[in-house]
Amino acid sequence: MLDVQNVTVDFVGLRAVDHASFTVEQGQIVGLIGPNGAGKTTLFNVVSGMIRPTSGSVLFEGKDLSRLGPADRNRLGIGRTFQVVKPFGGMTVLDNVVVGALTRGQSRSDARETARATLDRLRLGRFENTVARSLPLALRKRLEVARALATGPKLLLLDEIMGGLNPTEVNETLALIQELNSEGLTFLVIEHNMSAIMRIAEKVLVLNQGALLTEGPPAVITRDPQVISVYLGEPIEST
Ligand SMILES: Nc1ncnc2c1ncn2[C@@H]1O[C@H](COP(=O)(O)OP(=O)(O)OP(=O)(O)O)[C@@H](O)[C@H]1O
Ligand SMILES: [Mg+2]
């Protein structure tokens, strides 16, 4: 479904992504992990079209995305959340999600219906009239997921949506991802919460200093000596 081919991103004096190649198959939940500054968010920016890679290319459902900007890629079915959440702070929760639904070309009334259904699904329904900026961070992150979901993606890129959540909220979030996945949505998930990502990912990609260090199933990644030394520090349980 998603085919990232030999992508390199150079910023002034810094190589943020270094010849990274990987694929995400339709129906998978793929984890993307690595230390701070490894280039994870930069890779999301390349896939979603926010920045152009210095070299390399991205294919989605066999189509080369090089000439397409973020809006076109979103229309093709690539949705994303932002690590630094930026809801329209002065707008209500509902209107923020309506904006997401409108980007897929729905009429205003259809967009409201989509937004309401999405908010209910994410258990944000009771906050629909709340002004976005007054939500606590954990709920603003969930609103960010709702907005992205309302755009109707086939592939959803989640950038650290579990930071600051308590264990119950993490479990709820994992259950939601699995439920959406069982309905056909494909996921690429950046996460620092290792036990969480290891519970849902079929495959985990490990990025280190811009380069893909290794990839594999959680049970293998959590025991990989190289991964442990650059990132995990000590073996963690994957259950
Ligand atoms: N627009 C930019 N201009 C210059 N340097 C940037 C830019 N965006 C990111 N970088 C740098 O590129 C490197 C990779 O950053 P990136 O945000 O992709 O890392 P990350 O893996 O998402 O880290 P974290 O886990 O902390 O979110 C970092 O050194 C960062 O400072
Ligand atoms: Mg990041």
Side-chain angles (χ1 to χ4, degrees):
M1 179 180 223
L2 180 71
D3 198 352
V4 171
Q5 298 179 333
N6 216 14
V7 164
T8 293
V9 177
D10 286 329
F11 294 122
V12 180
L14 173 92
R15 177 154 290 185
V17 179
D18 189 4
H19 297 96
S21 298
F22 63 88
T23 59
V24 177
E25 305 298 331
Q26 158 91 45
Q28 281 188 319
I29 300 174
V30 175
L32 176 56
I33 68 169
N36 292 119
K40 305 179 296 295
T41 297
T42 303
L43 259 180
F44 270 22
N45 288 337
V46 170
V47 172
S48 61
M50 316 285 294
I51 62 172
R52 296 202 180 275
T54 309
S55 60
S57 45
V58 179
L59 275 66
F60 183 66
E61 297 186 315
K63 187 181 168 77
D64 189 336
L65 301 181
S66 302
R67 291 169 184 281
L68 302 181
D72 285 331
R73 294 182 195 208
N74 192 217
R75 236 166 272 135
L76 285 178
I78 300 177
R80 74 167 291 177
T81 66
F82 290 89
Q83 180 174 359
V84 180
V85 292
K86 34 187 168 185
F88 299 107
M91 278 165 51
T92 64
V93 164
L94 180 66
D95 285 342
N96 267 278
V97 183
V98 167
V99 169
L102 285 172
T103 64
R104 65 160 119 163
Q106 291 189 326
S107 69
R108 277 215 155 256
S109 62
D110 284 355
R112 279 178 86 80
E113 213 164 287
T114 300
R116 284 227 164 80
T118 308
L119 286 173
D120 282 344
R121 179 128 212 212
L122 273 76
R123 295 188 215 176
L124 286 170
R126 67 198 163 100
F127 299 107
E128 70 168 53
N129 295 317
T130 304
V131 173
R133 76 162 71 84
S134 64
L135 285 178
L137 180 62
L139 290 179
R140 256 181 289 147
K141 289 198 172 195
R142 213 187 293 174
L143 170 59
E144 177 70 6
V145 178
R147 185 203 49 71
L149 209 50
T151 66
K154 300 176 193 167
L155 169 68
L156 187 51
L157 312 174
L158 300 177
D159 197 346
E160 286 188 41
I161 60 164
M162 298 194 233
L165 301 188
N166 68 37
T168 307
E169 293 165 335
V170 168
N171 286 338
E172 276 179 20
T173 304
L174 294 179
L176 177 75
I177 292 172
Q178 281 173 319
E179 190 183 302
L180 291 164
N181 178 247
S182 72
E183 292 165 18
L185 188 56
T186 305
F187 286 90
L188 179 57
V189 182
I190 296 177
E191 202 41 73
H192 279 296
N193 183 333
M194 280 308 104
S195 68
I197 192 66
M198 297 302 177
R199 274 158 61 198
I200 57 165
E202 176 177 336
K203 172 169 93 172
V204 177
L205 311 164
V206 185
L207 202 64
N208 184 46
Q209 296 184 353
L212 213 59
L213 184 67
T214 185
E215 63 169 83
V220 174
I221 294 299
T222 48
R223 284 168 185 74
D224 185 308
Q226 260 190 308
V227 177
I228 292 167
S229 88
V230 303
Y231 183 49
L232 296 177
E234 55 188 56
I236 64 155
E237 292 301 313
S238 82
T239 49

